[in-house]
Structures are given as structure tokens and as C-alpha cells.
Amino acid sequence: RQVFWRRWLFRLGFRNFLASIPDTPTIVISRESFSGMMLGYKGNRLRPRRRYAPMAVPLAREIIRELRRRFGPDVEIEFLYTTRDGDTLLKSTWGHVLRTSPLRLDYPQFRTAFGDEPDLAAEAAEIARAIAPVPVHVAPLEKYGPHPFGPAKAVLELLDLPEQIESELRPASRNNPGQSDALSRIFLEMNRGKLRGRSLYSAKEELAMAERPAGRRRKPKYRKTV
């Protein structure tokens, strides 16, 4: 939520992080939450988020300010945002919000609440205009998702990595896959049931972990959601 003290806390946390990393010619910082809150979660006035740009722009400005403070006013900064087709984005988002919050809407209800499909390319263009002349790059997931390196391929292109070095990299494994449709139906029933808070979240995480391949399971960690 965009209140002054949360923005101050972000600035302080990011400043402390930058102080902990070494001076190197090229630094890649990758974090999904630097784009703001995932669509579907409740933000200001408890209304579900339907866009990224209103949060992504002030976050980007804070990032730029702190990078220049840490590395000097002439530091070269470039932003890269991954995008996704609106319909597949909403289906994926619904599944994630269903798992990590007490959402009680089925997908048709969730989809109807959004009205028009989100246009992430248009939002990235809006961010680019707001933080110009800092360059903004866009990597469609439809293009980079199937690559052996996944969306990281877009980062490697920006780094202009020599082919010889890139050929020695190991393909990326798929992390944090969405749950099956069957498990989503179970989560919806659980959200509409009697469990609440930590008990509900932990129960869903146990089921989600059991569905993942053995090598990609992680211990559930409770996280408070709004």
C-alpha cells in the first residue's frame, strides 16, 4: 500500500541491500515484487489490484534514486519487465491468489471482476514513459518461456553474454509451477470452509508441496496475506 512509511521502509531496505553488494561492472537485480503487488490481491481501500503500473512506477523511481546514491549519478540503469498474455496471466494469477489467500471466487467470477484483460505491454510502456530516459525492456513470456534458460534468456541478451559462455550454462529448471486444476478446486472448497488464517494457509501449502515433484518441494512457510 502506497503510504509514506512503507515507501520509506522500502527505501531503507533497498539501501541496506545495495550497501551489502560489491562494486562490480555489471549487477543484475531480479525480484518480482519490484513490480508491485500481484494482481488480485487487495491493496488500498481493500480493492483487488488490477494493474501494476501505479505501484511499479514509484518503486522504479525509488530503485533509480538508490542506485544513483550507491553507485554515482552516472551509473547505467536498465529495467526489464516480463509480460504475459492477459488470459493466461489471469488464470495463473487466480491459482496463485487462491493458494496464498482466502479467495472465495471461482475462476469465472474472478475473471469477470477484472473486466478487460490486463495489458502488461501497455503497462510497461506506461512505466517507460514515467521513468524516461532510463531504458525499459520488455520480454514476453510467450517468447522466452519455452527457451532452455526461460525468462533469464532476456537478461543474458541484455548482458550481451558471449556465445561460448552461454553454451556452458545449465538449462534452468521450472520453479514454482501452478497447481493442478483439481487442487485448485480443493483450495476453493477449503477457502469457503471453516479454516482461517495460519491453519488454512499451512493446510493448502502441505497439499501444494505434496503435488510438486520430489526435488522441488519446500517446507511451507506461513505468510500473512490481506
Side-chain angles (χ1 to χ4, degrees), residues 91-171:
K91 188 65 181 293
S92 175
T93 299
W94 173 75
H96 186 83
V97 176
L98 189 70
R99 177 174 65 84
T100 58
S101 81
L103 179 71
R104 297 188 174 194
L105 302 179
D106 59 25
Y107 181 65
Q109 293 170 328
F110 183 83
R111 177 66 186 82
T112 300
F114 268 85
D116 296 335
E117 290 184 359
D119 188 342
L120 296 190
E123 291 211 59
E126 181 179 339
I127 298 169
R129 290 191 296 270
I131 65 173
V134 175
V136 171
H137 306 274
V138 175
L141 192 61
E142 292 77 18
K143 174 182 177 181
Y144 290 96
H147 193 277
F149 297 145
K153 174 61 178 175
V155 179
L156 299 180
E157 290 178 353
L158 286 181
L159 296 176
D160 198 20
L161 202 66
E163 292 184 6
Q164 180 180 354
I165 295 178
E166 184 172 320
S167 66
E168 297 172 356
L169 299 177
R170 291 186 302 172

Side-chain angles (χ1 to χ4, degrees), residues 13 22 32 39 47 77 113 115 118 121 147 156 180 186-187 189 212 214:
E32 182 180 5
L39 304 184
R47 295 175 180 174
I77 304 170
H147 193 277
L156 299 180
S180 65
I186 293 174
F187 288 165
E189 293 175 1
R212 295 171 188 144

Side-chain angles (χ1 to χ4, degrees), residues 6-226:
R6 284 186 180 271
R7 189 162 179 166
W8 179 84
L9 285 175
F10 172 80
R11 183 184 307 162
L12 180 62
F14 191 59
R15 183 177 300 176
N16 290 337
F17 163 72
L18 293 179
S20 71
I21 62 177
D23 293 324
T24 57
T26 303
I27 298 172
V28 177
I29 301 174
S30 176
R31 188 174 179 87
E32 182 180 5
S33 60
F34 284 177
S35 299
M37 185 184 294
M38 179 177 288
L39 304 184
Y41 281 123
K42 293 180 180 179
N44 292 336
R45 299 179 183 177
L46 298 180
R47 295 175 180 174
R49 292 282 180 184
R50 291 180 171 82
R51 299 184 61 223
Y52 281 105
M55 289 186 70
V57 168
L59 282 170
R61 287 172 173 161
E62 292 290 345
I63 291 169
I64 293 168
R65 182 219 303 263
E66 293 304 318
L67 287 173
R68 288 172 175 167
R69 183 179 185 275
R70 169 66 172 84
F71 299 107
D74 296 327
V75 62
E76 296 183 20
I77 304 170
E78 298 187 45
F79 280 76
L80 170 67
Y81 292 99
T82 55
T83 61
R84 191 173 188 178
D85 173 70
D87 186 61
T88 58
L89 169 68
L90 286 180
K91 188 65 181 293
S92 175
T93 299
W94 173 75
H96 186 83
V97 176
L98 189 70
R99 177 174 65 84
T100 58
S101 81
L103 179 71
R104 297 188 174 194
L105 302 179
D106 59 25
Y107 181 65
Q109 293 170 328
F110 183 83
R111 177 66 186 82
T112 300
F114 268 85
D116 296 335
E117 290 184 359
D119 188 342
L120 296 190
E123 291 211 59
E126 181 179 339
I127 298 169
R129 290 191 296 270
I131 65 173
V134 175
V136 171
H137 306 274
V138 175
L141 192 61
E142 292 77 18
K143 174 182 177 181
Y144 290 96
H147 193 277
F149 297 145
K153 174 61 178 175
V155 179
L156 299 180
E157 290 178 353
L158 286 181
L159 296 176
D160 198 20
L161 202 66
E163 292 184 6
Q164 180 180 354
I165 295 178
E166 184 172 320
S167 66
E168 297 172 356
L169 299 177
R170 291 186 302 172
S173 59
R174 186 183 180 192
N175 293 312
N176 197 28
Q179 67 267 5
S180 65
D181 290 341
L183 191 54
S184 290
R185 289 192 292 270
I186 293 174
F187 288 165
L188 182 59
E189 293 175 1
M190 294 173 70
N191 287 349
R192 291 173 173 177
K194 296 181 179 180
L195 287 178
R196 295 290 184 273
R198 181 169 185 169
S199 297
L200 174 60
Y201 181 85
S202 297
K204 289 190 292 183
E205 281 298 287
E206 290 286 355
L207 292 175
M209 185 172 65
E211 188 178 68
R212 295 171 188 144
R216 298 175 189 167
R217 297 176 183 175
R218 62 181 176 84
K219 185 177 180 181
K221 181 179 179 182
Y222 174 65
R223 182 180 55 181
K224 183 179 180 181
T225 57
V226 178

